[in-house]
Amino acid sequence: MLAMNYRGPYRVRADHKPDPVIEHPGDAIVRVTRACICGSDLHLYHGLVPDTRVGHTFGHEFIGVVEEVGSGVQKLKVGDKVLVPFNLFCGSCFFCQHELFGNCHNTNAQATAVGGIYGYSHTAGGYDGGQAEYVRVPMADVGPMVIPDDIHDDDAVLMTDALPTGYQAAEMGDIKEGDTVVVFGAGPVGIFAAKSAWLMGAGRVIVVDHVEYRLEFVKRYAQCEVVNFKEVKDMALHIKKMTDWMGADVCIDAVGCEAAGNTMQTITGVYTMMQAGAATVLHWCINSVRKGGNVSIVGVYGPTFNAVPIGNALNKGLTLRMNQASVRRHLPRLIEHTRAGRIDPKAIITHRVPLEEVSDAYHIFSSKLDNCIKTVLIPPRANEVRAVKASVSNGAAH
């Protein structure tokens, strides 16, 4: 099969790899019809996530068609069109029983922290991802969901990670009616966090970034205010000025370890890796939120040390919440919002690229070229079944 192949930092290519096979009775093989490049894939691409191995296939945002099922699979059948949450989870451990699917205890040898994640480093289990023609989906009766007929494929693929992560970011902020919410980061997750904040009752939403086309996009899509941090000398002071010197009620970190905005943080967290990513946005969140406020963190950081102003958080009486999104828990509500027209997930897709051109796709997304917001990869066999059906029906007509 054709698959994205990681060859080292800033080096990926489309390559031929062996087709995945059923390894356990609970497995399914899914033929991928759409896969996204996520902002957190860029942390792997840039070499910032430990134990990212040469030869690995990325991609934790994908949908497809079930091609084969193991003998123990009961809820899926061949031909089902499914969306696959980025979390691998068992559904039965303590954490899954509490709907903490991102912390499953049985899908990752590093289970003291995160559970398994498709297409991420071996710190998240080392499972190959969906930027490929086919992918093995373990525990197929638990994670995948059959896509409803009235949900567009482009909407469905964004429900595998970006939309539920943005939605959970707003949820963890415990937004009350009329609250002022500041979202740091105008990438796909930040865009969805801003949109979701309105659904949870926010009275004011402000998005901070430094890329003008992204700020213009989120301003239109989420009907929010925007701030370019390059035009601001002191972020916390600026937010306080905007909020009658109180600070925001809720601050959301939708950026993570590669945040720009502070030279020293970038040097220590990105270039020399003295800490597990630049903690710039964590500082901004903690210092910009009001006393007694809430900070929600969904940006990705490494599993080791970060220089975070925890004393400020203590003295301000802040509540900090963070986690990988529990995708499966949010899907019923997100489908409802999409059907009602309150969210239009597919509207953030700006680029559709053949899987064969995955190297160019990563370069465009990473370098923020061509006004890129969200990229979808289309494998060459994406429409294979439809093509077969068409040829069968044409033959019958003759």
Side-chain angles (χ1 to χ4, degrees):
M1 69 170 182
L2 193 70
M4 175 272 192
N5 191 336
Y6 176 70
R7 307 309 300 168
Y10 293 90
R11 295 175 59 211
V12 301
R13 68 189 184 202
D15 216 343
H16 289 282
K17 299 179 70 172
D19 289 359
V21 297
I22 299 290
E23 299 179 13
H24 184 276
D27 289 352
I29 303 299
V30 171
R31 178 173 51 81
V32 179
T33 56
R34 281 168 175 74
C36 295
I37 300 176
C38 177
S40 55
D41 288 329
L42 298 183
H43 306 322
L44 302 171
Y45 177 65
H46 295 153
L48 295 176
V49 180
D51 207 9
T52 302
R53 303 183 187 181
V54 168
H56 196 53
T57 294
F58 299 170
H60 54 269
E61 298 179 304
F62 62 92
I63 64 171
V65 177
V66 177
E67 292 280 296
E68 185 181 355
V69 295
S71 60
V73 176
Q74 299 178 351
K75 295 182 180 179
L76 293 182
K77 64 183 185 300
V78 173
D80 281 344
K81 189 165 66 173
V82 294
L83 70 85
V84 183
F86 77 87
N87 329 100
L88 284 101
F89 57 96
C90 70
S92 58
C93 70
F94 172 88
F95 302 99
C96 288
Q97 289 296 304
H98 288 79
E99 296 189 314
L100 294 169
F101 301 124
N103 308 110
C104 177
H105 208 55
N106 291 324
T107 55
N108 182 13
Q110 305 289 334
T112 50
V114 72
I117 298 175
Y118 289 99
Y120 225 66
S121 86
H122 278 64
T123 61
Y127 298 89
D128 268 342
Q131 292 172 9
E133 290 184 287
Y134 297 97
V135 63
R136 181 176 75 94
V137 175
M139 302 179 186
D141 273 340
V142 180
M145 187 188 84
V146 176
I147 300 171
D149 290 340
D150 62 339
I151 296 298
H152 194 282
D153 285 359
D154 286 347
D155 290 326
V157 75
L158 290 165
M159 292 180 187
T160 61
D161 176 13
L163 176 55
T165 296
Y167 189 82
Q168 183 166 310
E171 179 191 66
M172 290 192 300
D174 194 23
I175 297 167
K176 302 292 191 299
E177 187 173 350
D179 276 356
T180 295
V181 179
V182 176
V183 179
F184 291 95
V189 170
I191 291 167
F192 285 137
K195 191 73 172 177
S196 299
W198 292 119
L199 298 176
M200 296 180 189
R204 187 180 185 190
V205 178
I206 303 165
V207 176
V208 179
D209 202 291
H210 70 292
V211 181
E212 278 297 334
Y213 80 80
R214 301 206 321 177
L215 289 170
E216 285 300 315
F217 186 95
V218 72
K219 188 176 180 180
R220 293 192 307 271
Y221 183 87
Q223 299 84 46
C224 59
E225 301 170 61
V226 296
V227 174
N228 187 328
F229 68 72
K230 284 190 173 180
E231 299 172 358
V232 172
K233 186 174 181 180
D234 184 316
M235 195 72 248
L237 182 64
H238 188 80
I239 295 298
K240 287 177 180 176
K241 283 181 179 178
M242 294 181 72
T243 55
D244 295 328
W245 299 102
M246 289 287 288
D249 299 292
V250 179
C251 282
I252 295 173
D253 176 356
V255 181
C257 66
E258 292 189 77
N262 182 290
T263 302
M264 186 56 67
Q265 286 283 344
T266 300
I267 290 171
T268 59
V270 178
Y271 296 141
T272 64
M273 298 190 206
M274 294 171 64
Q275 58 171 329
T280 304
V281 171
L282 294 176
H283 283 255
W284 287 349
C285 285
I286 289 170
N287 294 329
S288 299
V289 76
R290 65 166 170 79
K291 290 177 280 188
N294 298 320
V295 173
S296 171
I297 306 167
V298 292
V300 173
Y301 292 88
T304 52
F305 162 80
N306 272 96
V308 178
I310 199 67
N312 291 3
L314 166 68
N315 290 325
K316 293 178 74 173
L318 304 185
T319 298
L320 277 64
R321 295 185 67 192
M322 62 211 83
N323 206 350
Q324 298 286 350
S326 292
V327 173
R328 204 63 162 83
R329 177 168 66 87
H330 299 299
L331 289 178
R333 183 59 59 84
L334 295 175
I335 288 171
E336 176 189 329
H337 284 315
T338 301
R339 282 175 172 154
R342 291 186 286 267
I343 300 177
D344 182 8
K346 63 182 175 295
I348 77 161
I349 296 172
T350 54
H351 291 67
R352 289 175 174 80
V353 181
L355 179 61
E356 297 92 322
E357 299 172 18
V358 66
S359 179
D360 290 340
Y362 266 86
H363 174 64
I364 290 167
F365 189 44
S366 172
S367 301
K368 300 177 178 63
L369 303 176
D370 195 32
N371 291 347
C372 183
I373 298 290
K374 189 66 172 177
T375 301
V376 173
L377 299 171
I378 310 295
R381 297 184 187 176
N383 298 313
E384 188 173 277
V385 168
R386 277 181 230 167
V388 169
K389 286 181 179 175
S391 92
V392 168
S393 40
N394 287 338
H398 291 297

